[in-house]
Amino acid sequence: GGDRTVRLWDSRSARCTAPLVGHTHEVLSLDWNKYEPHTIASASADRSIMLWDTRRPNSVLSVLRGHRFAVRRVKFSPFARHQLCSASYDLSVGVWDVTPGCNSEPPQLLRHHTEFVTGIDFSLFAGSRSEPPG
């Protein structure tokens, strides 16, 4: 949020169990990886994306950089375990390979927009890009 942290809450006690500290500006978006339930990604106005393991809240798994302006949204692929997409105010969409141990090189950046990119989603009807339509 505005305090530059992501906070994990225990819904039973309504208490914050762990603040995830690392961003230097406001956190704008968050997504869970459905294939790896302890992995989340956060996006920030500091132009970075951070990957976190909720079992180890005191350390960042990876910092992804490649956007020139704030990262407005992040979303893990519902089809590919290690694919993350990002939308940025730099008019681009990023496609990241977040395989553990993979160097966090800049993503494939799609720069076809003429306005801010503020949202991102996957078509559940298109299927996996690695499989031909059937």
Side-chain angles (χ1 to χ4, degrees), residues 12-92:
R12 294 171 299 227
S13 66
R15 291 189 178 176
C16 177
T17 59
L20 306 179
V21 179
H23 287 291
T24 59
H25 288 83
E26 177 181 20
V27 175
L28 302 174
S29 180
L30 178 74
D31 197 31
W32 291 84
N33 186 335
K34 78 174 196 172
Y35 296 105
E36 298 185 25
H38 298 289
T39 302
I40 60 174
S42 58
S44 172
D46 66 11
R47 304 181 320 223
S48 73
I49 299 165
M50 293 189 175
L51 299 178
W52 308 87
D53 183 330
T54 59
R55 297 167 296 186
R56 289 174 280 189
N58 294 325
S59 63
V60 178
L61 288 176
S62 185
V63 179
L64 308 175
R65 299 187 189 280
H67 287 292
R68 294 178 295 183
F69 294 109
V71 183
R72 185 64 184 99
R73 291 273 190 257
V74 285
K75 185 149 184 97
F76 281 102
S77 169
F79 309 113
R81 174 181 298 268
H82 297 116
Q83 186 178 66
L84 177 73
C85 288
S86 56
S88 172
Y89 287 138
D90 66 6
L91 315 182
S92 73

